[in-house]
Amino acid sequence: MTEFCVTYKQAIALKKLGFDEPCLHKYDVDGCLISNSYMPDSHEIVFVTIGDLYDSANKRVPNKHYIADAPTIAQAQEWLRVNKGFDISTYVHYCEKRRYDGQLKWEEDSRVRCILLDREDSPAEVISNAITECLRILEGNDKDQRV
């Protein structure tokens, strides 16, 4: 089941970028995946940064349940396409065994940019890697290294 959701780190980054769609799963503050069906209605679902979990004495704030949405890989891929203009595609590569390649395209400064993604064993792995790359680009960690 977890391979169909984005990673905890990706979920946090997506939320910071404005992702707010309903999800079937959530992450707790420890990065553990929780199904919504197992969550009692009494849980307060809020998004916070790790810094918000501790008081000024560096002690964990008690009696609160901090949870971040855990979108599926397909949800994140669609959200990045519709809201941020990133097109992620995968295709099969036959060699000794079936492997998958990928491509990430977006428009920047009136130019189409493209990154070829590393070959993986499943389309989900390729798309997850592409999501990480999109988040890296959107967070501006690579301003001087873009192709």
Side-chain angles (χ1 to χ4, degrees):
M1 173 174 57
T2 58
E3 65 268 13
F4 296 109
C5 290
V6 298
T7 66
Y8 180 63
K9 186 176 179 180
Q10 290 170 333
I12 298 297
L14 284 163
K15 187 66 175 179
K16 287 179 182 177
L17 291 169
F19 180 89
D20 64 351
E21 296 180 12
C23 296
L24 295 175
H25 297 88
K26 309 277 185 218
Y27 279 112
D28 68 14
V29 293
D30 298 317
C32 296
L33 197 61
I34 303 168
S35 172
N36 284 351
S37 62
Y38 294 113
M39 293 174 51
D41 293 335
S42 62
H43 277 75
E44 177 188 0
I45 301 174
V46 294
F47 173 80
V48 296
T49 63
I50 296 302
D52 294 331
L53 296 175
Y54 298 92
D55 62 18
S56 58
N58 206 28
K59 292 185 180 178
R60 194 160 184 166
V61 178
N63 302 323
K64 290 190 180 178
H65 302 281
Y66 296 101
I67 301 173
D69 289 323
T72 64
I73 290 171
Q75 273 183 296
Q77 179 183 12
E78 177 73 5
W79 186 85
L80 286 165
R81 184 185 61 76
V82 170
N83 295 286
K84 303 296 181 182
F86 286 91
D87 180 32
I88 300 169
S89 57
T90 61
Y91 49 94
V92 69
H93 176 81
Y94 291 98
C95 50
E96 296 153 12
K97 65 177 189 169
R98 185 183 298 196
R99 300 288 303 260
Y100 296 86
D101 294 325
Q103 183 173 288
L104 172 62
K105 288 184 182 178
W106 73 101
E107 189 173 324
E108 179 183 298
D109 301 328
S110 301
R111 295 173 64 190
V112 174
R113 307 289 183 159
C114 181
I115 295 174
L116 298 177
L117 303 164
D118 292 335
R119 188 165 292 150
E120 299 290 351
D121 289 331
S122 76
E125 288 176 295
V126 172
I127 296 169
S128 181
N129 292 344
I131 290 168
T132 297
E133 188 65 22
C134 291
L135 296 172
R136 187 178 68 81
I137 291 165
L138 290 168
E139 290 171 350
N141 292 339
D142 67 338
K143 290 180 182 172
D144 298 325
Q145 298 175 356
R146 293 189 190 168
V147 180

